Amino acid sequence: MSTTKPNAPRDPRTGRAGCSDAEAEQRPDQELVGSSWVLRDVHALLAQIRDYAVITLDVEGTVLSWNVGAERVKRFRADEIVGTSFTRFYTEADERAGLPRRLLERAQSDGVAHAVGWRVRRDGTLFWADVTISSLREPDGELAGYVKVTRDVTAQRLLELDREQQYAAFTHDLRAPLTAALGYVDLAVEHIDARPGDDLGSQETSGEGVHAALADSYLKGLLVNATRVLKRLELMMERHLDAARAAGSGQLGQVDCPERLRLAQVVASTVRTTLESGAADRLQLRIAPETDVAYANRDAVERSLSNVIGNALKYSDDDVTIETTLLGPWVRIAVTDHGRGIHPDDIDTIFEPGERGRLARADGGHGIGLNSVRQLMERQYGRISITSEIGVGTTVHLDLPTTAPTSSDN
């Protein structure tokens, strides 16, 4: 790519063609600091873009050029910012955490780095920025610098925050009576357990006492079942809220407080608290010791597993296998059933809200479960995929990171 004319005068330093003095006077923006011809070409093309802040940086992150969009978004004039470090656009917390430098390193190694977060204007006010930093290289492959494109998406972010507040209030109003009902059931179970004189093993127990003990045992069984149903209702509510939140905002949000998980414990807890009575007898668990640790939010993983395992049990009469394998930086949890399968043409759309696939029958499901799982997994820096064959069965893969994400990663 070149913006120079064939007969343009030569630069005495490099012998390469450059612009004439007259052309330099007609430049729409300030003279570019630095000597990279790649950066000069990029600057000439992007200088007049108004809707995006487009700047070029040298290999150390020093600002070399400043377009009119950057002045509009960040409020600095070119003569105030060119020649200074781009780190001044970041909050003190992000700068202390080394975020600007990590973004440059990522752009250098991967070619591009993307981040969203609060950035600082000239007057000290904050705006929500969508930032892409791309590395630029000379024809010989040497790093020439970076081009940084920033969009001001503050209005969208404020709208998202308002939605999040509304969802939080709505969720609280839904959870409160459900939590109270679970509390009352627990109290009833504790009351039954605390009643004296119900020891069926005692030889002195009267007939009336035995009858009362049996009645209490039956009542306790009903309360335990009620607890299981209420917990399932709670899980369904969370799925619907996740789907509504994702549809309303179009954003995934931040990762949900990752922690070090023992997957064997997480699977056992999921089976014990959320699945139907007797479901555990149909599950074949193969948790390899070297794959037992992952980093994610426990509640999110349990909800994802409950959804996937529940579907496998619902749509298959045979046993369901839960198996873990190590895939580089991922632990893969594979849930395999031997049910009807998913049509090949539906694999790419099965995660969309309301999509159940052409083989769906009137046997439950609303097409929101897998969409909710996808949202939950991506918020853990994880991923989900499906392989399936009609009449043979389906395997759902949940991949979780084996290392903890950095707290300041945007």
Side-chain angles (χ1 to χ4, degrees):
M1 175 179 62
S2 176
T3 60
T4 58
K5 298 179 179 179
N7 60 351
R10 300 281 170 175
D11 188 314
R13 297 168 297 175
T14 65
R16 297 179 61 176
C19 59
S20 65
D21 292 341
E23 289 172 324
E25 292 175 0
Q26 296 173 5
R27 281 183 176 176
D29 209 342
Q30 82 290 343
E31 180 70 26
L32 178 68
V33 175
S35 58
S36 169
W37 288 90
V38 173
L39 293 179
R40 288 175 184 270
D41 289 344
V42 171
H43 171 63
L45 290 173
L46 303 179
Q48 287 301 296
I49 294 177
R50 302 185 62 87
D51 295 332
Y52 297 85
V54 184
I55 68 176
T56 51
L57 311 172
D58 68 9
V59 295
E60 298 298 329
T62 301
V63 178
L64 301 180
S65 70
W66 194 253
N67 77 330
V68 291
E71 183 169 343
R72 183 183 64 82
V73 171
K74 303 189 179 187
R75 315 284 170 81
F76 289 96
R77 298 190 313 272
D79 59 356
E80 295 176 308
I81 204 70
V82 171
T84 66
S85 174
F86 86 117
T87 58
R88 67 190 301 178
F89 309 134
Y90 291 78
T91 64
E92 291 183 3
D94 281 343
E95 192 171 354
R96 284 196 305 269
L99 177 61
R101 179 56 53 188
R102 287 204 311 279
L103 291 176
L104 290 188
E105 292 172 351
R106 192 182 306 164
Q108 180 179 356
S109 61
D110 300 342
V112 64
H114 180 258
V116 292
W118 294 111
R119 299 294 184 265
V120 183
R121 289 194 176 98
R122 182 180 185 276
D123 59 3
T125 58
L126 299 179
F127 69 101
W128 191 255
D130 185 303
V131 180
T132 300
I133 302 176
S134 302
S135 60
L136 298 172
R137 296 190 177 275
E138 302 286 1
D140 62 2
E142 182 181 356
L143 181 66
Y146 307 90
V147 60
K148 180 173 180 284
V149 181
T150 302
R151 287 193 305 141
D152 181 357
V153 290
T154 307
Q156 296 94 309
R157 179 57 177 166
L158 293 177
L159 182 60
E160 291 167 13
L161 291 173
D162 181 62
R163 283 199 186 104
E164 289 173 7
Q165 292 177 350
Q166 294 182 30
Y167 278 123
F170 179 61
T171 301
H172 175 270
D173 291 343
L174 282 178
R175 283 195 181 118
L178 189 56
T179 301
L182 283 167
Y184 285 128
V185 171
D186 288 342
L187 286 174
V189 172
E190 291 176 4
H191 177 72
I192 292 174
D193 289 340
R195 287 183 57 174
D198 292 340
D199 183 4
L200 291 176
S202 172
Q203 297 296 321
E204 300 178 359
T205 303
S206 65
E208 183 178 347
V210 170
H211 179 75
L214 290 173
D216 282 351
S217 178
Y218 177 72
L219 179 59
K220 182 177 178 180
L222 293 178
L223 291 172
V224 169
N225 287 335
T227 299
R228 183 178 292 112
V229 172
L230 287 172
K231 285 186 178 294
R232 177 169 287 278
L233 177 61
E234 183 179 38
L235 181 67
M236 292 173 58
M237 182 191 73
E238 294 293 348
R239 292 175 186 168
H240 281 281
L241 288 173
D242 280 339
R245 186 181 299 111
S249 67
Q251 301 292 329
L252 295 178
Q254 301 295 323
V255 66
D256 295 320
C257 302
E259 57 189 292
R260 187 174 187 269
L261 299 180
R262 290 286 187 180
L263 293 182
Q265 297 175 0
V266 172
V267 172
S269 173
T270 302
V271 172
R272 183 173 59 254
T273 60
T274 63
L275 299 181
E276 301 291 348
S277 179
D281 296 337
R282 294 176 52 202
L283 296 178
Q284 304 296 322
L285 306 183
R286 301 170 185 168
I287 311 297
E290 66 274 14
T291 65
D292 194 27
V293 175
Y295 285 85
N297 177 265
R298 183 181 183 114
D299 178 66
V301 175
E302 287 187 350
R303 286 161 57 190
S304 298
L305 277 173
S306 176
N307 190 305
V308 173
I309 297 173
N311 282 346
L313 292 169
K314 181 189 302 182
Y315 299 122
S316 173
D317 294 329
D318 296 327
D319 287 351
V320 171
T321 301
I322 305 173
E323 186 173 11
T324 61
T325 54
L326 198 60
L327 299 175
W330 307 93
V331 171
R332 166 164 289 183
I333 309 172
V335 180
T336 302
D337 66 57
H338 302 284
R340 72 184 69 140
I342 300 172
H343 194 281
D345 293 339
D346 294 330
I347 292 294
D348 292 337
T349 59
I350 199 67
F351 295 108
E352 298 302 318
E355 181 60 51
R356 297 187 60 211
R358 64 200 67 197
L359 300 181
R361 303 170 188 166
D363 50 8
H366 302 282
I368 67 169
L370 286 177
N371 176 260
S372 173
V373 173
R374 182 178 66 177
Q375 302 290 338
L376 288 169
M377 292 300 295
E378 291 181 353
R379 277 159 48 183
Q380 315 310 308
Y381 297 123
R383 58 193 185 185
I384 181 174
S385 60
I386 287 181
T387 58
S388 186
E389 184 176 349
I390 296 177
V392 175
T394 299
T395 298
V396 180
H397 304 115
L398 303 179
D399 296 341
L400 296 169
T402 58
T403 58
T406 58
S407 60
S408 55
D409 265 342
N410 287 356

